[in-house]
Amino acid sequence: MKAVLRERVARHVAALIEAGALRPGQRVLSVRELARQLSVSTATVVDAFSLLEARGLVEARARSGHYVRSEAPERPRAMRARLDSVPVSGDRMRGLFRSMRDRSIVPFGASSVSPGLLPTERLGHLAGLVARSSAAIGASYDPLPGVATLRAHVARRATRHGCATRPEDVIVTVGAIEAIGLCLRAVARAGDTVAVESPTYFGVLALLAELGLQAVEIPSDSADGMKLDALAIAFERHDLKACVAVPNFSNPCGARMPDDAKEKLASMLGQRRVALIETDVYGDLPHDDDRPRPVKAFDRDGWVMHCSSFSKTLAPGYRVGWVVPGRFYDRVEELKFVHTVASPTITQMAVAAFLDSGGYERHLRKLRRALSSQVGAVQDAVARYFPRGTRVSRPRGGFLLWIQLPDRCVSAIALQRAALERGISIAPGPMFSARGSFQRFLRLSCGHPWSEAAERAIETLGKLAGGDS
Amino acid sequence: MKAVLRERVARHVAALIEAGALRPGQRVLSVRELARQLSVSTATVVDAFSLLEARGLVEARARSGHYVRSEAPERPRAMRARLDSVPVSGDRMRGLFRSMRDRSIVPFGASSVSPGLLPTERLGHLAGLVARSSAAIGASYDPLPGVATLRAHVARRATRHGCATRPEDVIVTVGAIEAIGLCLRAVARAGDTVAVESPTYFGVLALLAELGLQAVEIPSDSADGMKLDALAIAFERHDLKACVAVPNFSNPCGARMPDDAKEKLASMLGQRRVALIETDVYGDLPHDDDRPRPVKAFDRDGWVMHCSSFSKTLAPGYRVGWVVPGRFYDRVEELKFVHTVASPTITQMAVAAFLDSGGYERHLRKLRRALSSQVGAVQDAVARYFPRGTRVSRPRGGFLLWIQLPDRCVSAIALQRAALERGISIAPGPMFSARGSFQRFLRLSCGHPWSEAAERAIETLGKLAGGDS
């Protein structure tokens, strides 16, 4: 509880700095004033200032309080725009996947949340009830496009997030990844070109490789996401068939695209009659409980295909995802039938029962607190142990950190290899680029509770990154 | 029980005729002799003879007993070999799928077994136990390649059917259809050509269309399956990347390929270093309890990719399938990860628990009896109500009938349309061909218990087929 409060205070101040309300060199409110304003103890504020110091955001000046550092720690750089179209090679992904999947003691590699943070017991109980409640469950192919009660919940939540959605707009899939694959198939054929964020989720790149698609990498910033001016130029140069993005707390760099950019993106694509394949699996995990709208909320004519799942918030092993494919509904439904016929019934019904029970929002609030504090802890440890000059993203949601090492450091691939030998998994930067950029970047997944072992692992990574072995 | 016995006697005699042990014109044993030999009542034998008469296999001659008809009813004709390579159009499939999926009162369309014949209550109970037994289930992505206990059961059963298989040879999939899709992707790219049976399961054709593959249709006979001499010629003419087949109780024509042909097929493909994608979802459903070996049993060097599922025998809605991909293991495992990451855990564990409990063999024996009797009932009704000259397959397993109408009849597409208006679904022949052959063929699925309504439906179909409306 204490850690949660401390983190909340730290984030409050960080947000003021972020927004420019507090400028470099300016004095931050005193401990006492802040404690009063936020209704917390002064001890909590003192703790929060230590965090902010560790994160390099403020510095203490003797007898006069805390000041915003004139050199705030820098975010990882976005890549230089090249905007040529490149084939995506499955080969690079291949080796990287294998090492990602290795069992490791300290799991900073895969983007998954610790089972301890998920309501698995309650879900299991509900799955049990569901499985026994009706003999007919599972006895026939689930009628497309999925279990009706689940689709109703998904539609209701989407509508609450600004996307007017009816249950009949939703198609249930085997996780978000099947949804993305179906969308890509619906709008592009082998040899076609699509725009992707750079860096982008490697699962998308692996799909592009399998489908024989070319990628144009659009530079994306770890604060605001895809650079739309670069996307506009890419449209001039290429016959793009789709744009693939994770606008809310992107993977790997954690960006949250601002609403005005989302609106612009939706209109750019609508005007050009090109699909946006939007993935929103992290959208339910804002650290400040301010659930961002998806780009789908700004979609006028159905050009946004919205993909998501419960894999990051409830149960990855249930494999319950969905897509709201807009104007491509018929084609996606058909493709779902051709590729996997239907999704399993029990898991859909168990998730629907969980949503029925009304505990999802409460669970999300708890989960967000935990993830926010875990992300903060990893940020702090990286600030302490990684080589000077290391840049770290400052995501406001999700649980992924994107880290840029200074040029003098070892390559991320070498770091990954050395780390694995010590039982630590990470995701190296080149996995997130079609052309293998981001040689000195890495993604750390902070889905697991902070621990002494985690701290030692970050220390080890820091040393290895600096070239100590 | 009485119906089961009658059917068993009828099949015994039919098998003797089939095998040539009883020749056209020859007298069948007397009612009394047969009753004694098979330890059944004479009334049962009399009933069985009525069935055999209805099926056109025997004829009664006044005061001298039953004789094998000199003109045994003919099986549907195999198509003429053309062996050119044709692109597979998704368009034709599309419209047909939609009508197939329409809710109908009398379901002769989809290849699925009546829920009442499946152990869904027991499975649901086990799924409930499994879901509650361990909080961890579903809390993480199921580790590839699937739940270990399920893979062990699959391997043990495969080994019993002549395919030496280790658990680590098995990858769990979302039904057999995902398995077939992964296999096709592993061995062929857009523009490549593969050999398929003709007629072949439309799901395979839909996948070929989606993947941009060309098909060479190899004529297949409703008794012995794919004609291997035609396949040999196709190999001379085309650079085939794979051969796709359902050697045990094929869909739609119900053929069971003899063992010597299976051995030859395995060796033809091994010599040419080309993959056989074998689907065996009906293999567990021989009417005579004689479980045929898959072609995989004759595979020496891993060129056979064996796909199957529990969708026809346990629970289609659980979506538990698998593939034993032989020498393509690594590639298929990777593709599974890229396309759906993993399969849901609970359903795999529930099926494994069912297999643990040892009731699967007993369930299969019961299911085979039911399907055999349902197939027989539909055959009889077709013989009674369909236009003279109609040919019907005589499958020895599974639950599908392949029917050829005389040339004077309406087209199967027209028949499908008219039947749907009357609440009856069927699968028209052109669905089973890349080039839309089999215009006057249809598939009737006999997965549902025989009933008065079913009989009336067959009568209606017969009238519609003859042009009455």
Side-chain angles (χ1 to χ4, degrees):
Chain A
M1 196 54 203
K2 206 178 140 194
V4 171
L5 279 177
R6 175 185 62 181
E7 184 65 36
R8 194 179 298 166
V9 174
R11 291 201 169 261
H12 172 78
V13 176
L16 294 174
I17 296 172
E18 194 81 28
L22 283 169
R23 303 189 159 280
Q26 200 176 335
R27 186 171 169 272
V28 186
L29 284 181
S30 74
V31 167
R32 191 166 310 209
E33 286 165 321
L34 253 181
R36 195 169 40 79
Q37 213 178 73
L38 301 176
S39 307
V40 296
S41 71
T42 51
T44 300
V45 177
V46 169
D47 279 358
F49 274 123
S50 320
L51 278 186
L52 290 164
E53 280 188 81
R55 290 177 197 172
L57 287 170
V58 305
E59 54 190 356
R61 292 188 194 161
R63 257 165 300 194
S64 74
H66 290 86
Y67 289 77
V68 179
R69 274 183 59 161
S70 32
E71 282 173 21
E74 290 188 86
R75 285 214 177 77
R77 271 191 295 264
M79 68 174 273
R80 238 183 46 243
R82 287 171 61 173
L83 303 183
D84 47 342
S85 149
V86 291
V88 185
S89 155
D91 289 342
R92 187 180 316 111
M93 299 298 134
R94 207 154 293 162
L96 293 170
F97 274 145
R98 292 203 190 289
S99 60
M100 279 274 294
R101 280 172 37 209
D102 277 354
R103 297 279 161 184
S104 58
I105 301 153
V106 190
F108 289 119
S111 167
S112 58
V113 165
S114 164
L117 297 174
L118 299 175
T120 40
E121 210 153 331
R122 177 142 181 74
L123 262 178
H125 180 80
L126 291 168
L129 285 181
V130 159
R132 292 160 178 213
S133 68
S134 159
I137 290 179
S140 41
Y141 294 101
D142 185 51
L144 269 176
V147 165
T149 49
L150 178 66
R151 288 186 292 119
H153 274 293
V154 165
R156 208 172 308 135
R157 290 186 58 79
T159 303
R160 206 183 303 153
H161 305 142
C163 319
T165 307
R166 301 162 306 164
E168 56 266 39
D169 300 328
V170 180
I171 297 169
V172 177
T173 57
V174 180
I177 196 69
E178 186 186 41
I180 301 169
L182 298 177
C183 291
L184 283 169
R185 288 190 187 91
V187 299
R189 301 174 148 271
D192 283 347
T193 302
V194 302
V196 298
E197 296 167 302
S198 181
T200 197
Y201 169 45
F202 56 80
V204 166
L205 295 175
L207 274 172
L208 298 186
E210 290 304 336
L211 300 175
L213 297 171
Q214 302 263 121
V216 176
E217 301 191 296
I218 311 296
S220 293
D221 168 76
S222 71
D224 298 338
M226 189 179 265
K227 292 186 180 297
L228 299 188
D229 47 353
L231 179 62
I233 298 171
F235 264 115
E236 283 166 24
R237 295 197 192 158
H238 304 281
D239 178 22
L240 298 177
K241 297 300 185 193
C243 173
V244 185
V246 186
N248 290 327
F249 316 124
S250 65
N251 179 355
C253 68
R256 174 186 158 154
M257 183 178 266
D259 273 3
D260 55 350
K262 282 175 179 162
E263 187 168 6
K264 187 168 170 206
L265 178 58
S267 107
M268 278 175 76
L269 288 159
Q271 275 165 23
R272 289 170 176 83
R273 305 181 66 78
V274 170
L276 174 69
I277 302 174
E278 173 180 38
T279 306
D280 197 26
V281 292
Y282 301 99
D284 275 346
L285 299 173
H287 296 165
D288 57 4
D289 286 329
D290 175 19
R291 209 288 180 198
R293 282 190 279 181
V295 178
K296 183 78 185 169
F298 304 95
D299 180 26
R300 289 203 192 152
D301 299 307
W303 291 99
V304 179
M305 308 173 85
H306 186 255
C307 306
S308 196
S309 81
F310 292 106
S311 297
K312 309 298 179 191
T313 57
L314 281 182
Y318 279 44
R319 315 295 308 114
V320 176
W322 69 88
V323 54
V324 180
R327 59 168 58 225
F328 302 97
Y329 184 94
D330 287 348
R331 178 74 178 123
V332 170
E333 190 190 50
E334 175 184 301
L335 282 163
K336 165 69 185 172
F337 184 70
V338 169
H339 288 283
T340 50
V341 182
S343 289
T345 315
I346 290 181
T347 41
Q348 294 182 59
M349 294 196 69
V351 169
F354 187 89
L355 297 171
D356 277 341
S357 75
Y360 189 53
E361 282 306 327
R362 196 168 57 245
H363 159 65
L364 282 181
R365 281 193 297 274
K366 218 173 109 188
L367 179 58
R368 289 164 184 163
R369 290 297 89 74
L371 296 178
S372 164
S373 128
Q374 288 165 201
V375 166
V378 178
Q379 281 172 322
D380 297 344
V382 168
R384 270 199 301 284
Y385 297 118
F386 268 51
R388 174 184 285 272
T390 297
R391 296 160 180 240
V392 187
S393 63
R394 298 199 289 279
R396 295 194 282 152
F399 49 92
L400 303 174
L401 282 180
W402 183 234
I403 292 170
Q404 181 180 9
L405 300 173
D407 287 346
R408 66 178 187 281
C409 285
V410 301
S411 78
I413 300 285
L415 177 59
Q416 181 195 29
R417 206 175 302 123
L420 262 186
E421 283 172 15
R422 287 156 179 85
I424 306 166
S425 62
I426 64 166
M431 287 188 79
F432 301 92
S433 162
R435 53 158 59 79
S437 307
F438 305 110
Q439 294 282 342
R440 279 182 177 72
F441 288 69
L442 55 142
R443 186 192 76 181
L444 295 184
S445 170
C446 314
H448 293 260
W450 186 242
S451 66
E452 179 63 31
E455 175 145 8
R456 290 289 74 79
I458 298 289
E459 186 179 4
T460 302
L461 285 174
K463 280 184 188 157
L464 292 172
D468 301 358
S469 57
Chain B
M1 196 53 203
K2 204 178 144 194
V4 172
L5 279 178
R6 174 185 62 182
E7 185 64 38
R8 194 179 298 166
V9 174
R11 290 200 170 263
H12 172 78
V13 175
L16 293 174
I17 296 171
E18 194 82 28
L22 283 169
R23 305 192 158 276
Q26 201 176 335
R27 185 170 170 273
V28 186
L29 286 180
S30 73
V31 167
R32 190 167 310 206
E33 285 164 321
L34 253 180
R36 196 171 39 81
Q37 213 178 73
L38 301 177
S39 309
V40 296
S41 71
T42 51
T44 300
V45 176
V46 169
D47 279 356
F49 274 123
S50 320
L51 278 186
L52 290 165
E53 279 187 81
R55 291 178 197 170
L57 288 169
V58 304
E59 54 191 356
R61 293 189 193 160
R63 257 167 297 194
S64 73
H66 291 86
Y67 289 77
V68 179
R69 273 182 58 161
S70 32
E71 282 172 23
E74 288 189 87
R75 284 215 178 76
R77 271 191 296 264
M79 68 173 275
R80 238 185 44 245
R82 288 170 60 172
L83 302 183
D84 47 341
S85 149
V86 292
V88 185
S89 155
D91 290 342
R92 185 178 319 111
M93 298 299 134
R94 208 154 293 162
L96 294 171
F97 274 145
R98 294 205 189 289
S99 61
M100 278 274 293
R101 282 172 35 209
D102 277 353
R103 297 277 160 187
S104 57
I105 301 154
V106 190
F108 289 119
S111 166
S112 57
V113 166
S114 165
L117 297 174
L118 299 175
T120 40
E121 211 154 329
R122 177 143 181 74
L123 261 178
H125 180 81
L126 291 169
L129 285 182
V130 159
R132 292 161 177 213
S133 67
S134 159
I137 289 177
S140 40
Y141 293 100
D142 186 52
L144 269 175
V147 165
T149 48
L150 178 66
R151 288 186 291 119
H153 274 294
V154 165
R156 206 171 311 134
R157 289 186 59 78
T159 303
R160 206 183 305 151
H161 304 144
C163 319
T165 307
R166 301 163 307 164
E168 58 266 39
D169 299 328
V170 180
I171 297 170
V172 177
T173 57
V174 180
I177 196 70
E178 186 186 43
I180 300 169
L182 297 177
C183 290
L184 282 168
R185 287 189 187 91
V187 300
R189 299 174 150 271
D192 283 347
T193 302
V194 302
V196 298
E197 296 166 302
S198 182
T200 197
Y201 169 45
F202 55 80
V204 166
L205 295 175
L207 274 172
L208 298 186
E210 290 303 336
L211 300 176
L213 298 171
Q214 303 262 120
V216 176
E217 301 192 297
I218 311 296
S220 293
D221 168 77
S222 71
D224 297 339
M226 190 178 264
K227 293 189 180 294
L228 298 188
D229 46 353
L231 180 62
I233 298 168
F235 265 115
E236 282 164 26
R237 296 197 192 158
H238 304 281
D239 178 22
L240 299 177
K241 297 300 184 193
C243 174
V244 185
V246 186
N248 291 327
F249 316 125
S250 65
N251 179 354
C253 68
R256 174 184 160 156
M257 183 178 264
D259 273 2
D260 54 350
K262 284 176 177 159
E263 186 168 8
K264 188 169 168 204
L265 177 58
S267 108
M268 278 175 76
L269 288 158
Q271 274 164 24
R272 289 168 175 85
R273 304 181 66 78
V274 169
L276 173 70
I277 302 175
E278 173 179 40
T279 305
D280 197 27
V281 292
Y282 301 98
D284 275 346
L285 299 172
H287 297 165
D288 57 2
D289 287 329
D290 175 21
R291 210 289 180 195
R293 282 190 279 182
V295 178
K296 183 77 182 168
F298 304 95
D299 180 27
R300 290 205 188 149
D301 299 307
W303 292 99
V304 179
M305 307 173 85
H306 187 255
C307 306
S308 196
S309 80
F310 292 105
S311 296
K312 308 300 178 191
T313 57
L314 281 182
Y318 278 44
R319 314 296 306 114
V320 177
W322 69 88
V323 52
V324 179
R327 60 168 57 224
F328 301 97
Y329 185 94
D330 288 348
R331 179 76 177 122
V332 171
E333 190 190 49
E334 174 184 302
L335 283 163
K336 165 69 184 171
F337 184 70
V338 169
H339 288 283
T340 51
V341 182
S343 288
T345 315
I346 291 182
T347 40
Q348 293 182 59
M349 294 195 68
V351 169
F354 187 89
L355 297 172
D356 276 342
S357 74
Y360 189 52
E361 281 306 327
R362 198 169 53 244
H363 159 65
L364 282 181
R365 279 192 298 273
K366 218 172 109 188
L367 179 58
R368 289 164 184 162
R369 291 296 89 74
L371 296 178
S372 163
S373 128
Q374 289 166 201
V375 167
V378 178
Q379 282 172 320
D380 296 345
V382 169
R384 269 198 301 284
Y385 298 117
F386 269 50
R388 174 183 285 273
T390 296
R391 298 161 180 238
V392 187
S393 63
R394 297 199 291 277
R396 293 193 282 152
F399 50 93
L400 303 174
L401 281 181
W402 184 234
I403 291 171
Q404 181 180 10
L405 301 173
D407 287 346
R408 67 180 186 279
C409 285
V410 302
S411 79
I413 299 285
L415 177 59
Q416 182 195 29
R417 206 176 302 125
L420 262 186
E421 282 171 16
R422 287 155 179 85
I424 306 165
S425 63
I426 64 165
M431 287 189 81
F432 301 91
S433 161
R435 52 156 62 80
S437 308
F438 305 110
Q439 295 282 343
R440 280 182 176 72
F441 288 70
L442 56 141
R443 187 193 75 182
L444 295 183
S445 170
C446 314
H448 293 259
W450 187 242
S451 66
E452 179 62 31
E455 175 143 9
R456 292 288 74 79
I458 297 289
E459 186 178 4
T460 302
L461 285 174
K463 280 185 188 157
L464 292 172
D468 300 0
S469 56

